[in-house]
Every structure is written in C-alpha cells, then in structure tokens.
Amino acid sequence: AQTVTQSQPEMSVQEAETVTLSCTYDTSESDYYLFWYKQPPSRQMILVIRQEAYKQQNATENRFSVNFQKAAKSFSLKISDSQLGDAAMYFCAFFSGSRLTFGEGTQLTVNP
Amino acid sequence: GAVVSQHPSRVICKSGTSVKIECRSLDFQATTMFWYRQFPKQSLMLMATSNEGSKATYEQGVEKDKFLINHASLTLSTLTVTSAHPEDSSFYICSARKVGTGYTSNTGELFFGEGSRLTVL
C-alpha cells in the first residue's frame, strides 16, 4: 500500500516571501502521479500542481513549483511570492491505479 | 473546466434517520466517482469507489450497509448514510473522474465537489 507523509502540520510565511512544504511517499510502483491540492476554509479541494513520475523535469505553475526527487521519494512544493490568498490547508497526494491517497496535510498561514 | 456539484452542502438530522447526499458531474461524464470523509483538521479518507452500473468498492473498515452508494448514471452518484448516529457527523466529499482515454482520465486528476457537512443530533 502507498503512504504519503507530510511532516509539517503547520507552516507560516510572510507575505511576498517563499515557503516550501515537504512531502514524502512510499511505493513500489514505478508509474504514478503526484499532486498538491489546496483546501481553503471553504473546504473546496483545488488542484495546485501535478507531476508525472516518468518526467524528470519539475512541474511549475506560475508561483508554484515542485522539487521531485524520485529516488528519494520526495515531492516538495515551493510557493514563491506568497499571497494572503495562499493561506489554506495543503495536501500532497499520490495516485496509482485507481486510488488517490492523501497526506495528512499542512496548514499554511500567510502573515501580512 | 469540469464541475462537480454536491447537494446538500449542509444537513442536520436526528439520530436514527437516513440522509442522502448527491454528487453530480455537471459538464462531463464520470465512470468513476469517489467518496471521501474528512474529520476536522484531518486528511481525506477514501470511503469507497463507485463505478457506473456496478457495485461500489468499499475501503477496509467502511460499513457498506451503513454507507450505501449508488452510481446509477454517468453523471450522478449518491451516498446514503443509513440510521445515522452522532459519530457519523463529518464532512463528506465526492470526486469524479472524466470518461475517456487520454491524459486526463489516466492521470487520476479528480474533480471535487464542494463537500457536504453532516451533523447528526
């Protein structure tokens, strides 16, 4: 079974600065996908970024980028130029086959 | 974009009653829908996977007679909490995967509903 671990229950960052959220996973699969989802207070799940395991290049989406280290099974999220609207719970997720497994989540606070 | 709608967003019921939550994909067809449960400040826990026209597959520890799932069409799945008790109070979220081949359906990118908060008195 796959497991996803987010070791930081809470993180905070000053507005306009950069923050990195950590995620590690454990799997014996070679073909899989990794995601970061954002869940604001509204509880709506929002896809932030996606990474295919077969791609070596790290995914980027505007201010969001990942550091994907396949051998280390690490998938961290970097948020640059943090904005107040980035405050939310962030979940790392692993997909293989037909299952999407979530980490425990990291609550991000953005300080003005 | 792909929109998934859940209804109701909030429901309060008395202990012992049954509650039905609907999950609809509004602008795409979904052969597979997933139901998650989320307790406050915790992660999403997969309860079951429903496939259109077949029985749902439940995760270990989830009572299938308690949480009835029906996926009667490519755009609708329902979760019925039968004989609800206070411990069933939670936030329930559905997600849907688009039909078809190609990148989107193979990646597992799911489109999530807004969630339904169930409170059992």
Side-chain angles (χ1 to χ4, degrees):
Chain A
Q2 291 83 14
T3 59
V4 180
T5 302
Q6 292 178 248
S7 60
Q8 306 154 316
E10 298 177 346
M11 290 284 284
S12 63
V13 62
Q14 289 296 127
E15 195 175 4
E17 295 190 348
T18 296
V19 64
T20 298
L21 307 184
S22 301
C23 173
T24 59
Y25 57 95
D26 187 25
T27 184
S28 58
E29 303 284 340
S30 59
D31 186 20
Y32 52 87
Y33 301 84
L34 295 162
F35 303 89
W36 278 97
Y37 283 92
K38 169 184 177 181
Q39 188 180 42
S42 68
R43 308 294 289 272
Q44 175 73 56
M45 296 292 285
I46 301 168
L47 178 64
V48 175
I49 199 164
R50 169 203 301 119
Q51 175 79 44
E52 294 87 346
Y54 64 86
K55 288 187 177 179
Q56 293 184 335
Q57 186 174 7
N58 289 323
T60 63
E61 285 287 341
N62 300 314
R63 298 183 294 108
F64 299 88
S65 62
V66 298
N67 183 4
F68 175 46
Q69 301 290 327
K70 191 172 184 178
K73 296 179 182 175
S74 170
F75 182 61
S76 61
L77 174 70
K78 184 171 81 172
I79 305 174
S80 304
D81 186 24
S82 297
Q83 300 177 359
L84 295 178
D86 295 332
M89 179 72 87
Y90 286 80
F91 292 101
C92 177
F94 174 100
F95 176 81
S96 180
S98 61
R99 295 175 60 88
L100 186 65
T101 304
F102 289 92
E104 306 94 328
T106 297
Q107 181 67 52
L108 178 66
T109 301
V110 181
N111 300 310
Chain B
V3 179
V4 176
S5 177
Q6 263 184 259
H7 179 80
S9 58
R10 292 176 181 267
V11 58
I12 301 173
C13 70
K14 293 182 179 180
S15 184
T17 61
S18 295
V19 174
K20 179 184 286 188
I21 301 170
E22 293 186 346
C23 178
R24 292 181 184 273
S25 55
L26 298 185
D27 52 1
F28 67 99
Q29 292 182 320
T31 52
T32 305
M33 289 187 174
F34 303 85
W35 286 95
Y36 294 85
R37 183 174 182 175
Q38 186 180 30
F39 290 107
K41 298 188 178 181
Q42 293 189 22
S43 187
L44 282 72
M45 301 302 298
L46 180 64
M47 298 175 65
T49 301
S50 75
N51 294 293
E52 186 265 337
S54 63
K55 290 183 179 180
T57 302
Y58 290 81
E59 294 299 300
Q60 191 173 7
V62 177
E63 300 175 59
K64 60 181 180 181
D65 295 330
K66 173 80 172 171
F67 299 99
L68 300 178
I69 292 173
N70 184 279
H71 193 160
S73 76
L74 287 173
T75 60
L76 174 65
S77 177
T78 60
L79 167 68
T80 302
V81 183
T82 62
S83 186
H85 288 91
E87 57 265 31
D88 299 324
S89 298
S90 188
F91 192 68
Y92 294 88
I93 305 176
C94 74
S95 63
R97 178 200 274 172
K98 266 186 173 180
V99 170
T101 59
Y103 182 75
T104 302
S105 66
N106 290 334
T107 60
E109 179 178 349
L110 303 179
F111 301 95
F112 286 84
E114 314 95 319
S116 300
R117 178 170 299 286
L118 170 63
T119 302
V120 184
L121 302 177

